[in-house]
Structures are given as C-alpha cells and as structure tokens.
Amino acid sequence: MIRKTLDSARELWVNLDRDIYVGDRYSSNMKALFLVSLVTGLLGFILTVVNFASGNMPMTIAAIVTFIAGVSCAISSFILKKRKPATIISTGFCIIVITIYVLTAAGSGSALMWTLLVPVGISYFINVKYGILLSVYYTLLITVLFYSPLREIYTAYYDHAFIVRFPMLYGCFSIFSCIAMIQYHRSVLFEIDHTHVLTEEIEKKTAEAEDLMEVMDIYLAAAISDTDSISGIMNRRSGEMVISHAMQQAPGCFIFFDVDNLKKINDYHGHEAGDRILHIMGDTLKANSEDHLCCRLGGDEFLMFVKNVSEEGAVEKVEKVISDFNFNKKDDPEVAIASLSAGMVMCNTDEDYDDVYNKADKALYYVKQNGKSGYDFYNSAYDSIGSIHVDIEKLLDGIKTSGSYSGAMSVDYRQFTKLYEYIAHLEHRFSYSFKMIVITLETPTGENPGSEELEQSMFCMEQSIRKMIREVDVLTRYSNCQFLVMLLGVSGNGIRIVVNRIFDGYYQMKENIVFEPSYVVADPKSIRTDSATD
C-alpha cells in the first residue's frame, strides 16, 4: 500500500515537468508574462525612488533588483520571444528578493503577505513545480524565522500568539495551495491530451475521408466514361486501375473468370446471343462484388477482386457466382452451353498486380486444360508448363458437364450436317433407320407480319420441338422460318404422332397464331420426299 502510494506520488511529481503552455496557451502565457513583468518593473522603479528618498539602502537595493528583474522578463518575453529566460529570472527574483523582504521585515512586517501570493503566481504564470518548491521554501523560511531568535524582528509588529500560530497556518495554506496548483496542472494536461486525441482522430478520419474520396473519384470516373457497353461493368482500363488500387488497400482473392464456349455461341446463334451471355456475366459479377470490384478484360475474360476474404470465403464466392450465372442463363436456350472457369490467387497488399494477374492466368489455364467449367487456386507447379498434370477424372467430368443438355440435342446447321453424315453411315452399316423432318412456319396469304412476330413464333416452335422429341433426336434451326429434325428409329406412323404433338404444343404456347406450321419428311434411304401439312 505504501509502495503503491509512493509510486503514484512519484508519477505525479514527474508529470509536473510537462509543460502546459503549448499552442495557443503558449502565446497567451507570453503576453501575460510581459504584462506582469511591466507591472513588476514599474513597481520596482517606484519602490527604488521611495526607499532611496527615505535612506533605506537594503530596501533600495531590493527595489532595484525588482526593477531589473521586471525589465529583463519583459525583454525576454516580448522582444526575444523566449520563455525560459523569463521563468529563470522570475523564479530567481522571487527567491532572492522575497527572502530579503522577509528577513528585513519590510513594509512593517507586511512582506509576509508576499510569501502567500508569489508561489501561486509562479505556479500559474511559470511552472507548477517551481511554485510548489517555492511554497515549501517559504514555509521552511518562516518556520525557522518565527521559531528561532530571529523572531525578535517581528515582535514589534505582531504579538506572541500570531508569531507562534502563523507558521502552522502558513503550512496549511501551502498544502492547500499546492493541492490546488497540482489539480490545476492535471486539468490542463487532461485538456491538452484530450485535444491531442481528438486532433489525431480528426486527422485520421480526414485521411480516411480523403482516401474514400480518391476511391470514389476513381469509381465515378470509371462509371461515367469507362463502362463496358456489353457487360455493363468497368472495362479493362478502368477496371484494372480500380482493382489494383483496392489490392493495395486490403488483402483478398484475385479471380480470373473465363466464359466457356462463347465462340460456339457466336458461331451457332450469332453475336446477339454472345452479347446476351456477356451481359448475364456482367450482371452476375455486379450482384456478387462488393464495391463493384469487377471488370471485363475483353472477349470472354473477366476479373473480380474480393477484399478481406479467406480461402474458404473465396471458394464460396466463386461457387455463388457460378451458381447465379447458371441460374441467370437457364431461360435462354441459345446460351445454354455457356459455363464458367476461374483461376484464383490469394494476395496481400504488397504484391504486384502484374504478378498476381499472371498467377491467376496460369491457374485459369490449368482449369481450362482439365475440362473447363470449374475453378482452382494458383499453385507454384503451374510456373512450369511441363509440370501441369491433367486430372483425367476432372477432364471427363468437365466434358460431361459442358456437353450436357436437356430434351433433344440442339446444334447449329454445320454440326447438324456432320451428325447427319455420321448417322447415315450408321444406317448404311448397321441398318439403323432414321428420318429427317423439315418444319416450316408459313406466312398467311395476303398478310405481311413483322420479323418480331416471326421470331416469337419460331421461339415457341423450338420450345415445343425440344419438349416433344427424345434426347437421342437432333434439332437445328435451318432458316429464319424452318427447323430440321432427325428422328432416330421411327416409322411413318410414329412420325405423324410426333409431329402432331409438336404442333399441338406450338398452338398451346402461341395464343394468336399468325404463322401456320407444315412439315416435310425425307427418307435418306430412298432419297424420296413425302410432304404433309397440318
């Protein structure tokens, strides 16, 4: 308990060395020192004249010292702008001159009152520790003076009871004044520290706001002028700039996406279908990217950066993107073969963008070599081309997934011709029969419907064909109003049943029938064509 109290007192004493006159308080204190110095110098000059006229040489000398001290402090605080000389001069003056005043009982013994006022003034204007030391010094001086033979000097001015009690009263006053001065010093320090903390917090928040504004400026510039017109997200120039900046601010996962089979979609269904899948990819990334940290590099390549995420979190994010992508494209049969491959790299704020990009590219290459439609993290083994091992199970699974389809097989015309030749060879060698049907949507006589109405009718017909024929059958769009269908292992009566179901499905899906369907059956064996209309 005693040791703890002593440690607290020692810490309190050390804190008294901290200067409370900083910032605006410093300039205010220098002005106050200058004014007090002027008053002290003026008082010293007046006392010098009065004491010299009365022939009191000791007091004249003390008054001259007072004048010199006042003038010196004024010069130091106002002209030289230096506080330390002023504090030393003031403290030295209070020790020397007040001691002379007390020992000589100056002012008919009233010099004792200066010992009460001066320590408080020193504490406020100069230094609290100096004021406490001066108060202790004066207490000891008065105690020695009043409890020794020197007290006879004051017997002419004060009675015996006052001389006996005053040192005790003065000691109590000194204790209370020291406590008050310490509390004053602590309260000022608390104010300074609190102001310092608030200033640091304001500077920190200001810096954060400036960083945020910088990022927002980048994002705004990208949103205004650097958006990819097809995908709806940032293009390569702005996207790489934003992602590179984000990588310097926080660690995370760098993800390199590739839309599989985009070229096939463009070749089979046209660039409008390809643009649709790119737009679906852009929407999917925007929905799954915080702060929209995603961009289209060009072609079928996209980037995404996920901040402050673990490997497990990165995997969940990629799986969510793939799942949402598959969901968003499910109602568009022309883009059904599209899938996603991704190369992933966990990176820190000190890593170079180009290095991370190259690592993600190598991881993506590995995924593409192993069947597409998947993801993998970068591995140092990918740095060596010959060291990449093909995972045959993953490859087969990727082929199965990429080639999977529901209902009939829908292909482009070139693929349809190849399949036709292949099936014709099977028929010739193994007597495996098949028939080809040409389904046409015919324009009503005397009417001229628009292309939009025709496209809607073709879409309904394609959906009906898909639902009504088997998975082993093959479908392609031959022209803007015709479909080719290969039916395997069916007879003439079976063909009529299938076609009737297709047409019924078309009538159910299309409320206002403008284009009437018809069909032609071709038998590859006889090279003979039979026609019929519904």
Side-chain angles (χ1 to χ4, degrees):
M1 181 65 180
I2 296 176
R3 183 174 181 177
K4 187 175 180 180
T5 302
L6 292 176
D7 290 340
S8 299
R10 188 181 298 108
E11 180 182 358
L12 182 63
W13 184 252
V14 170
N15 282 335
L16 291 177
D17 288 326
R18 288 185 59 187
D19 193 359
I20 61 176
Y21 297 108
V22 293
D24 293 337
R25 295 179 64 86
Y26 179 84
S27 58
S28 177
N29 178 251
M30 291 295 283
K31 292 177 182 178
L33 275 178
F34 173 67
L35 293 175
V36 171
S37 299
L38 283 181
V39 172
T40 303
L42 180 61
L43 180 62
F45 177 77
I46 295 172
L47 290 176
T48 298
V49 174
V50 172
N51 288 321
F52 182 78
S54 63
N56 190 341
M57 292 308 297
M59 294 304 299
T60 301
I61 295 173
I64 293 174
V65 172
T66 302
F67 172 75
I68 294 173
V71 172
S72 300
C73 287
I75 294 173
S76 177
S77 59
F78 185 74
I79 299 176
L80 300 180
K81 305 295 183 181
K82 294 183 178 180
R83 187 173 183 275
K84 189 172 183 179
T87 60
I88 294 174
I89 293 171
S90 300
T91 306
F93 161 76
C94 291
I95 293 174
I96 296 171
V97 175
I98 300 302
T99 299
I100 294 174
Y101 282 176
V102 171
L103 291 178
T104 59
S108 301
S110 61
L112 290 176
M113 298 301 103
W114 288 106
T115 62
L116 296 173
L117 301 176
V118 168
V120 177
I122 290 294
S123 296
Y124 184 78
F125 292 108
I126 306 298
N127 183 284
V128 172
K129 181 178 281 190
Y130 289 176
I132 293 173
L133 292 174
L134 200 60
S135 183
V136 173
Y137 167 72
Y138 287 157
T139 301
L140 294 175
L141 177 65
I142 292 173
T143 301
V144 172
L145 183 64
F146 277 32
Y147 291 159
S148 70
L150 295 175
R151 67 176 177 273
E152 297 299 331
I153 300 174
Y154 283 90
T155 55
Y157 309 110
Y158 303 111
D159 58 22
H160 178 74
F162 177 83
I163 292 175
V164 172
R165 295 174 182 173
F166 184 74
M168 293 183 287
L169 293 173
Y170 187 88
C172 292
F173 177 81
S174 296
I175 292 172
F176 289 129
S177 62
C178 287
I179 293 173
M181 289 183 284
I182 291 172
Q183 185 59 36
Y184 165 73
H185 186 268
R186 292 183 66 184
S187 64
V188 174
L189 284 181
F190 174 80
E191 179 183 337
I192 293 172
D193 291 341
H194 186 62
T195 302
H196 182 68
V197 170
L198 289 178
T199 302
E200 287 185 342
E201 188 68 21
I202 291 172
E203 291 175 351
K204 180 180 178 182
K205 295 296 184 183
T206 302
E208 291 176 356
E210 290 175 351
D211 290 342
L212 181 60
M213 289 299 296
E214 180 182 352
V215 175
M216 291 301 295
D217 288 341
I218 294 174
Y219 289 166
L220 182 60
I224 293 175
S225 61
D226 297 319
T227 300
D228 180 67
S229 60
I230 298 176
S231 64
I233 59 178
M234 289 183 288
N235 61 21
R236 179 167 196 154
R237 186 182 70 84
S238 60
E240 287 191 316
M241 178 175 62
V242 171
I243 291 176
S244 176
H245 183 272
M247 290 170 60
Q248 296 173 3
Q249 304 300 314
C253 184
F254 186 95
I255 308 171
F256 197 153
F257 283 104
D258 185 276
V259 179
D260 303 322
N261 304 317
L262 177 63
K263 186 178 184 303
K264 289 183 179 179
I265 293 173
N266 286 330
D267 291 343
Y268 300 165
H269 304 289
H271 286 278
E272 289 186 2
D275 289 349
R276 289 202 302 274
I277 196 62
L278 292 175
H279 187 74
I280 289 173
M281 181 60 180
D283 288 345
T284 302
L285 289 181
K286 277 194 294 187
N288 285 276
S289 177
E290 296 180 4
D291 303 324
H292 299 290
L293 293 176
C294 56
C295 72
R296 181 188 176 203
L297 293 177
D300 55 4
E301 296 178 336
F302 292 80
L303 287 186
M304 179 179 183
F305 181 68
V306 185
K307 296 190 294 185
N308 299 313
V309 68
S310 63
E311 283 195 15
E312 294 78 8
V315 169
E316 291 179 2
K317 177 65 71 174
V318 170
E319 290 180 346
K320 179 70 163 50
V321 170
I322 293 174
S323 175
D324 289 354
F325 177 79
N326 291 332
F327 178 81
N328 292 338
K329 70 181 178 69
K330 67 180 178 62
D331 294 329
D332 192 339
E334 292 186 344
V335 300
I337 61 172
S339 61
L340 291 183
S341 297
M344 307 165 67
V345 180
M346 300 301 297
C347 56
N348 296 315
T349 55
D350 57 349
E351 294 190 56
D352 182 69
Y353 172 84
D354 291 335
D355 290 342
V356 175
Y357 178 94
N358 290 332
K359 290 177 180 178
D361 188 34
K362 291 174 181 178
L364 176 62
Y365 177 78
Y366 174 79
V367 174
K368 301 283 282 187
Q369 290 297 103
N370 284 271
K372 305 181 181 179
S373 187
Y375 57 86
D376 200 3
F377 283 97
Y378 166 77
N379 188 302
S380 58
Y382 301 162
D383 291 332
S384 175
I385 296 176
S387 67
I388 297 180
H389 171 70
V390 177
D391 187 337
I392 192 64
E393 292 184 1
K394 188 173 182 180
L395 176 60
L396 292 175
D397 183 66
I399 293 174
K400 180 180 178 181
T401 303
S402 296
S404 64
Y405 61 93
S406 59
M409 179 184 292
S410 178
V411 297
D412 71 299
Y413 179 71
R414 283 189 298 173
Q415 295 296 324
F416 186 89
T417 60
K418 293 178 181 180
L419 286 172
Y420 178 88
E421 289 296 323
Y422 176 73
I423 295 173
H425 284 303
L426 289 178
E427 181 189 40
H428 176 72
R429 185 166 184 176
F430 301 105
S431 299
Y432 190 83
S433 64
F434 76 99
K435 297 290 188 297
M436 188 174 75
I437 306 173
V438 182
I439 297 178
T440 305
L441 293 182
E442 297 183 349
T443 306
T445 305
E447 295 187 22
N448 186 25
S451 59
E452 184 176 349
E453 178 65 31
L454 176 59
E455 189 61 32
Q456 291 178 357
S457 299
M458 287 292 286
F459 177 79
C460 292
M461 178 56 74
E462 182 177 358
Q463 298 304 309
S464 180
I465 295 172
R466 285 174 175 276
K467 291 180 180 180
M468 300 305 172
I469 63 178
R470 302 162 299 174
E471 292 185 357
V472 295
D473 301 325
V474 186
L475 160 71
T476 189
R477 182 166 175 170
Y478 178 61
S479 69
N480 67 334
C481 63
Q482 291 177 311
F483 292 97
L484 302 181
V485 181
M486 279 191 287
L487 301 177
L488 279 67
V490 294
S491 63
N493 186 52
I495 293 173
R496 285 190 293 273
I497 293 174
V498 171
V499 171
N500 287 334
R501 288 177 179 174
I502 292 172
F503 287 2
D504 288 341
Y506 169 73
Y507 289 134
Q508 290 176 7
M509 295 177 63
K510 195 76 174 68
E511 294 181 357
N512 299 319
I513 302 299
V514 177
F515 295 92
E516 290 291 340
S518 65
Y519 73 98
V520 175
V521 180
D523 187 348
K525 277 187 177 182
S526 61
I527 316 295
R528 179 176 57 83
T529 301
D530 301 319
S531 65
T533 57
D534 192 313

